[in-house]
């Protein structure tokens, strides 16, 4: 059998496809659109919209400030060690400090504070923590959903709903960063289906098939020359990659919500903790990898070789990220509860009772 067509080759391609950063960001935004839209199924008052918009920037900025200040400390400690590691490995991403070149001697804690508080949202600046490039999109995508979701929930015609969503996606276009708006809209669509009990109940076989299809779509990318994606590339232009990821994210969420077994498994305590830690892990993994990971790699490369040192660096980065993510998740919970307590008097009067279905979702 020719190379690239065997079962082992297909499995290898599938595993490589799971390392898809672009698709992971799309899934993150789809989930964000889903979670942010759900409350408007029961309360669409203008004051509810205003409070949601008022809370969003402080909710995000608390953690981004902490992440940028921690990144400043790590950069001050590690210096240019990441460049030496990049020279040994030959990794361009590492050599550019995660596509965000720095000069450690010229960075200050005040710049880190300003970046986490304002610049990352207003200017898209990411000198300290490169994964924060998504925060500007998250903030303004959230604002768009806060304005759009109440209108969609208020409409009773699905034809009109879908028409408005298609028009909004077309107007947003496929250029960066407007393509990401479709991710949020995809999440809103799922929220409407869920709130109105329109998501299908899936048996185990159907859930397995749709889940595998979702993962296949998640792994799609034009940059990797994987034969398993040849059928999609034959019929889709490059600009459609993002919509393929949206479809994959939607299928995965439908399986998680529609299959009793999956719903039960992912309602456990471990899944709750994973959800709480996911955002802190996302914020911290970049600076830790580029500092502690680079130092660990250079300390071990002489004795362990490149492969051995890379494993040690990965282990140290993962452990340190988890250690730092736990207290950050705790801070996030406290801060979120405080914001809710401060704004609750504004939304209490005349609020509708939550539907039982939304109560089950914990919203």
């Amino acid at each position: 059998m020719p190379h690239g067509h065997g079962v082992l080759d297909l499995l290898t391609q599938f595993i490589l496809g799971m390392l898809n950063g672009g698709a992971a960001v799309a899934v993150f935004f789809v989930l964000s659109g889903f979670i942010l839209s759900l409350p408007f199924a029961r309360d669409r008052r203008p004051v509810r919209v205003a409070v949601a918009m008022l809370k969003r920037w402080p909710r995000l900025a608390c953690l981004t400030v902490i992440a940028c200040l921690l990144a400043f400390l790590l950069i001050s400690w590690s210096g240019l060690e990441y460049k030496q590691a990049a020279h040994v490995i030959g990794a361009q991403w590492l050599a550019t400090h995660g596509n965000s070149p720095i000069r450690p001697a010229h960075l200050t804690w005040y710049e880190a504070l300003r970046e986490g508080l304002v610049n990352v949202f207003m200017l898209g600046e990411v000198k300290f923590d490169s994964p924060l490039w998504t925060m500007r999109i998250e903030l303004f995508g959230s604002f768009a959903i806060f304005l759009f979701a109440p209108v969609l929930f208020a409409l009773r015609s699905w034809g009109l709903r879908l028409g408005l969503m298609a028009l909004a996606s077309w107007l947003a276009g496929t250029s960066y960063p407007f393509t990401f708006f479709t991710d949020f809209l995809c999440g809103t669509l799922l929220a409407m289906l869920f709130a109105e009990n329109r998501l299908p109940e899936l048996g185990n076989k159907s859930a397995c098939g749709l889940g595998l299809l979702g993962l296949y779509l998640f792994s799609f990318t034009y940059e990797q020359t994987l034969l398993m994606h040849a059928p999609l590339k034959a019929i889709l232009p490059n600009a459609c990659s993002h919509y393929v990821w949206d479809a994959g994210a939607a299928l995965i969420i439908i399986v998680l919500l529609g299959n009793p077994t999956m719903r039960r498994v992912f309602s456990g305590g471990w899944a709750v903790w994973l959800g709480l830690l996911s955002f802190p892990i996302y914020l911290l993994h970049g600076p830790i990898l580029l500092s502690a990971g680079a130092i660990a790699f250079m300390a071990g490369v002489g004795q362990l070789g490149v492969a051995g040192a890379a494993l040690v660096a990965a282990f140290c980065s993962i452990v340190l990220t988890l250690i730092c993510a736990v207290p950050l998740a705790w801070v996030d919970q406290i801060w979120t509860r405080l914001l809710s307590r401060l704004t609750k008097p504004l939304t209490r009067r005349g609020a509708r009772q939550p539907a039982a279905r939304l109560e089950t979702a914990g919203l």
Side-chain angles (χ1 to χ4, degrees):
M1 183 173 291
H3 178 71
H5 293 271
V7 175
L8 182 59
D9 290 312
L10 184 63
L11 181 61
T12 302
Q13 291 181 32
F14 191 79
I15 293 173
L16 289 174
M18 289 298 100
L19 303 175
N20 192 344
V25 170
V27 172
F28 172 78
F29 288 143
V30 171
L31 282 171
S32 187
F34 176 80
I35 294 170
L36 295 175
S37 299
L38 266 180
F40 295 108
R42 65 173 184 262
D43 188 355
R44 294 182 285 276
R45 294 170 301 148
V47 67
R48 176 67 181 83
V49 175
V51 168
M53 297 182 73
L54 182 66
K55 289 166 53 179
R56 194 57 180 162
W57 171 75
R59 162 71 175 84
L60 298 173
C62 176
L63 266 64
T64 56
V65 165
I66 295 173
C68 284
L69 289 174
L70 177 61
F72 166 72
L73 294 176
L74 291 171
I75 290 170
S76 301
W77 166 57
S78 61
L80 297 175
E81 198 82 359
Y82 72 94
K83 283 195 172 183
Q84 299 179 35
H87 179 72
V88 174
I89 300 175
Q92 181 64 21
W93 179 86
L94 186 59
T96 59
H97 201 260
N99 296 324
S100 181
I102 59 168
R103 291 186 297 169
H106 294 82
L107 298 178
T108 66
W109 70 268
Y110 177 72
E111 286 182 280
L113 174 64
R114 185 173 58 186
E115 180 172 308
L117 192 63
V118 178
N119 288 4
V120 72
F121 298 106
M122 298 296 109
L123 305 176
E125 182 180 275
V126 288
K127 290 188 295 186
F128 291 88
D129 190 349
S130 58
L132 294 187
W133 68 268
T134 59
M135 289 299 100
R136 186 184 187 189
I137 299 169
E138 173 67 24
L139 179 65
F140 290 101
S142 300
F143 287 166
I145 290 302
F146 292 150
L147 295 172
F148 203 36
V151 175
L152 291 174
F153 271 110
L155 297 172
R156 309 318 302 172
S157 167
W158 270 96
L160 189 55
R161 285 173 168 178
L162 294 176
L164 285 176
M165 295 179 74
L167 177 62
S169 296
W170 179 75
L171 290 175
T174 58
S175 60
Y176 174 88
F178 303 105
T179 307
F180 293 102
F181 180 53
T182 307
D183 303 346
F184 289 91
L185 283 180
C186 184
T188 300
L189 174 61
L190 291 172
M192 290 190 295
L193 292 171
F194 177 75
E196 297 175 6
N197 298 312
R198 293 178 181 272
L199 285 179
E201 287 289 329
L202 300 173
N204 291 337
K205 289 184 179 179
S206 299
C208 182
L210 288 178
L212 288 174
L213 177 59
L215 292 176
Y216 169 73
L217 296 177
F218 174 91
S219 68
F220 176 74
T221 175
Y222 262 86
E223 285 71 28
Q224 293 178 337
T225 56
L226 305 181
L227 289 177
M228 68 176 186
H229 293 147
L232 285 177
K233 292 182 179 181
I235 60 176
L236 294 175
N238 190 12
C240 289
S241 294
H242 219 92
Y243 304 117
V244 173
W245 298 335
D246 287 345
L251 286 175
I252 293 170
I253 293 173
I254 289 171
V255 169
L256 293 177
L257 295 175
N259 177 254
T261 302
M262 296 298 291
R263 193 163 57 237
R264 184 170 56 252
V265 169
F266 283 89
S267 296
W270 70 271
V272 173
W273 266 103
L274 181 61
L276 293 174
L277 290 173
S278 59
F279 188 33
I281 287 174
Y282 175 76
L283 296 178
L284 299 175
H285 78 279
I288 289 175
L289 175 64
L290 292 166
S291 56
I295 288 177
F297 176 81
M298 292 305 299
V301 70
Q303 294 181 331
L304 302 175
V306 172
L311 289 175
V312 171
F315 176 79
C316 292
S317 299
I318 291 171
V319 171
L320 187 56
T321 299
L322 291 175
I323 291 174
C324 294
V326 171
L328 192 57
W330 177 69
V331 170
D332 186 34
Q333 283 187 292
I334 294 175
W335 180 240
T336 302
R337 286 196 294 265
L338 178 60
L339 287 174
S340 297
R341 190 176 300 116
L342 291 173
T343 56
K344 190 173 182 180
L346 299 175
T347 58
R348 183 180 298 165
R349 186 182 298 274
R352 303 174 186 177
Q353 292 296 321
R357 180 105 167 126
L358 295 180
E359 260 188 30
T360 303
L363 295 168

